[in-house]
Amino acid sequence: MNYTYRIYPNVVQQTELRSWLETCRGVYNYALRELKDWIASRKCSVDRCSLEKEYIIPADEPFPSYHRQQNNLPKAKKQFPHLGKVHSQVLQTTIRRLHDTWEAFQKRGHGFPRFKKFGQFKSFVFPQFKNNPINGFTIKLPKIGEVPINLHRPIPDGFKVKQVRVLSRVRGTQWYVVVTIESDISVPDVPVHGRAIGIDLGLQRFLTASDGSFQKRPQFFKSMQRKLKLLQRRAARKQKGSQNWEKAQIEVARMHHRIANRRKDFHLKTAHQLCDRAPTIFAEDLNVKGLTRGMLRTDCVDAAFGQFLSLTEWVCWKRGVYFAKVNPNGTSQTCPNCLATASKGLEVREHHCPECGYRTHRDRAAAEMVLHRGQENVVSQGLWGTETACQVGLSGVYDLDKWRGAGIPNRETGKPAL
C-alpha cells in the first residue's frame, strides 16, 4: 500500500532536492540517448549508408540493458563528480524507470520513451531502508537529513516501510513523499455478498445508481476557469524567465493543483458513500481515452471518470466491498425491464420502452442494466455460490432471480410479461 504525506524541507534541503532531480534527469536522458543510438545504428540499409549521417557503433556492441547501464554508473561518477552527490540507489532506480518504460513500450507497441525537459522530472525513489525512516513528525532521507512531515495517519502495526518516493509539485514549491508499506499477511479476494447496485456515469449526472439515487457533477475546472484565466493572463504579460514571471507561473500551478485536489476529494467521498450503500458494486468498463477525444472532451477530462473508477476500486478493496466492471456497450439502449432494444439519442433523457412500457430516467435505466449484466457475470462464474444460507433473505437476490427468469410466472427471459 502507498501512503502520501506532505513534507516541509527547509531552503537548503529544497535546493538539494531540486539538484537531485536535475541530476536524475540528466542520467535518464543520457541512458535514453545510448538506447536510441544503439537502435538507430541497426536501422541503416545493408548495402549503402546515408548521405547525411550514420551511427558508427560496432556490430558486436551488446544492447544497453539495465544491468549494463547500471554497472557503468561507477565509471560515470569518476568522469562526472557531481553524480556522487546523489544517493547511488536513486540513480539505479532512475535507470530502472527508463527500462520499465521501454519494456512497457515493447508490450503495447506505442509510447516510446521521451527525453525529459527541464522541470519534467518530478520524482525519485529511495528503494530500500534498513530501519523505519519515520520518527515522530520527521522522516530521515539518506544524504538529505531529517525533514518535517505531516503524519496525518500513522503507519499501521505490522507494516514496515519498503520504499519512499519523493515528489515535487507546484513547480518545486510543494513536496510530498509516497511511502510504500508492506506486510507478510495475505488478503483474500472479496466475495460477492449482500445487496448489489449498478452505477452509471455521465455528464448531466455524475453518478446514477440503480436504486434511483444520483449525484450531481461538480464542474471543478469551469468553476475556477475565470480565476485561472486571469492568472494565466498575468503570467503572459511578464518577461519570460524573470522572477515575476516565475512567481506568476507558480500561482497558475497552485490553481491547477487546487482543482485536482478538489476533484480527487470528491471522488474519494463519493466512493465511500457507495460503499456505505451496498457491499456489491458494478460499474461500466468505460473507454476513458476515447471519451477524452470527442466533442465533449473538456467535460470528460474535468469529470475524470478513469480516476473515479480507479479510486472506487481501491476503496472497495480496502473496505471489503466487491467491485466489478461490465461491458458498457448498449446499456442506455436496452430496456432493463424486458431486455428489449429501445434506441434513443443523447437529447432524450427519459427511457420509455416500446415493448413493455417501462418508464424511468435514462441514466437510471442504464444503471439497472449495468446491475443486470454484473449479476449475470457473477452467476455465470459461479460466484454467488460463495454466499451462506443467509443469502435468501438478502436484498438484491430477488432481482437476481428476476433476471434469470426464475419464480416469475408468465415471463420468459428477454420478453415482456403478458
Side-chain angles (χ1 to χ4, degrees):
M1 294 193 302
N2 294 331
Y3 281 6
T4 303
Y5 301 100
R6 176 82 180 270
I7 60 174
Y8 302 91
N10 55 36
V11 178
V12 178
Q13 291 173 338
Q14 289 188 33
T15 304
E16 190 73 14
L17 291 174
R18 294 192 192 99
S19 175
W20 280 32
L21 288 175
E22 284 303 302
T23 303
C24 292
R25 184 179 71 91
V27 172
Y28 184 93
N29 290 340
Y30 187 88
L32 178 57
R33 180 76 271 171
E34 286 186 344
L35 184 65
K36 296 190 71 171
D37 288 347
W38 188 93
I39 296 174
S41 65
R42 269 60 181 171
K43 288 184 178 180
C44 63
S45 303
V46 178
D47 57 342
R48 59 188 179 274
C49 296
S50 174
L51 295 177
E52 297 179 355
K53 62 180 180 179
E54 202 64 65
Y55 292 90
I56 304 176
I57 298 179
D60 58 347
E61 182 72 16
F63 176 76
S65 62
Y66 163 69
H67 296 287
R68 285 181 56 83
Q69 292 186 331
Q70 179 186 355
N71 295 335
N72 290 334
L73 285 176
K75 302 177 183 178
K77 289 181 180 179
K78 296 180 180 179
Q79 187 177 0
F80 305 100
H82 69 279
L83 296 180
K85 298 180 181 180
V86 184
H87 196 272
S88 59
Q89 291 185 340
V90 171
L91 297 179
Q92 294 173 6
T93 54
T94 303
I95 302 295
R96 179 73 269 173
R97 176 176 174 178
L98 169 64
H99 286 272
D100 288 342
T101 308
W102 166 254
E103 293 173 0
F105 158 72
Q106 289 182 314
K107 290 181 180 179
R108 61 176 176 257
H110 60 87
F112 194 91
R114 298 181 180 181
F115 292 105
K116 301 293 184 181
K117 297 181 181 180
F118 177 81
Q120 288 185 346
F121 206 92
K122 300 179 181 180
S123 67
F124 58 83
V125 181
F126 295 99
Q128 62 180 5
F129 291 89
K130 292 183 180 179
N131 301 319
N132 187 4
I134 300 177
N135 183 16
F137 294 97
T138 60
I139 180 171
K140 187 175 182 181
L141 302 177
K143 286 193 173 184
I144 298 295
E146 293 188 352
V147 183
I149 183 174
N150 181 13
L151 202 68
H152 57 273
R153 56 177 175 179
I155 303 297
D157 296 334
F159 287 81
K160 61 179 181 180
V161 177
K162 182 180 180 181
Q163 70 177 23
V164 173
R165 177 180 293 273
V166 181
L167 298 176
S168 172
R169 291 287 183 267
V170 194
R171 300 180 70 88
T173 59
Q174 295 184 13
W175 297 88
Y176 298 84
V177 288
V178 180
V179 182
T180 302
I181 58 177
E182 66 175 358
S183 180
D184 295 334
I185 61 175
S186 60
V187 181
D189 295 334
V190 180
V192 184
H193 61 288
R195 176 173 174 263
I197 62 172
I199 59 175
D200 176 73
L201 303 179
L203 295 178
Q204 188 181 35
R205 294 179 175 180
F206 177 78
L207 182 144
T208 305
S210 56
D211 57 3
S213 60
F214 63 91
Q215 180 73 38
K216 294 184 178 180
R217 179 176 69 92
Q219 299 181 357
F220 304 100
F221 178 76
K222 288 188 176 181
S223 62
M224 308 295 291
Q225 189 174 10
R226 184 176 181 180
K227 188 173 183 180
L228 181 63
K229 184 178 180 179
L230 178 62
L231 295 176
Q232 290 173 335
R233 185 181 300 167
R234 292 177 181 175
R237 293 173 179 173
K238 302 295 188 295
Q239 183 180 358
K240 188 174 182 181
S242 63
Q243 292 185 356
N244 290 333
W245 177 85
E246 182 64 26
K247 292 179 181 178
Q249 293 294 335
I250 291 176
E251 292 296 327
V252 174
R254 285 179 179 174
M255 181 58 62
H256 281 292
H257 189 64
R258 181 183 177 186
I259 293 173
N261 285 342
R262 291 179 60 188
R263 183 186 295 114
K264 188 175 181 179
D265 179 71
F266 168 75
H267 288 169
L268 285 172
K269 290 180 178 178
T270 305
H272 279 284
Q273 291 175 3
L274 288 175
C275 293
D276 293 336
R277 195 176 305 166
T280 300
I281 300 174
F282 299 106
E284 294 178 304
D285 189 8
L286 297 176
N287 180 15
V288 182
K289 290 185 178 180
L291 293 175
T292 58
R293 297 171 184 171
M295 59 183 299
L296 299 175
R297 54 185 175 273
T298 303
D299 296 294
C300 292
V301 171
D302 190 17
F305 296 128
Q307 176 180 273
F308 173 72
L309 292 176
S310 299
L311 292 176
T312 303
E313 185 175 3
W314 156 250
V315 172
C316 290
W317 176 84
K318 184 173 64 174
R319 298 189 53 178
V321 176
Y322 180 83
F323 179 82
K325 297 180 181 180
V326 301
N327 183 13
N329 296 333
T331 53
S332 60
Q333 306 296 328
T334 307
C335 178
N337 191 48
C338 64
L339 304 183
T341 301
S343 301
K344 47 188 173 292
L346 288 175
E347 69 280 359
V348 181
R349 306 312 304 172
E350 183 183 11
H351 170 78
H352 181 207
C353 180
E355 298 290 337
C356 63
Y358 180 63
R359 285 180 177 271
T360 186
H361 194 274
R362 175 196 181 105
D363 295 340
R364 180 177 180 179
E368 292 176 354
M369 197 63 205
V370 170
L371 174 62
H372 160 56
R373 290 185 180 179
Q375 291 174 334
E376 286 292 334
N377 290 340
V378 297
V379 168
S380 62
Q381 297 174 8
L383 299 180
W384 283 102
T386 59
E387 295 285 352
T388 61
C390 298
Q391 178 190 355
V392 179
L394 294 178
S395 175
V397 179
Y398 172 75
D399 294 335
L400 177 64
D401 295 335
K402 167 185 165 184
W403 296 122
R404 300 181 66 184
I408 303 178
N410 300 328
R411 172 167 295 192
E412 296 180 1
T413 304
K415 296 183 180 180
L418 299 177

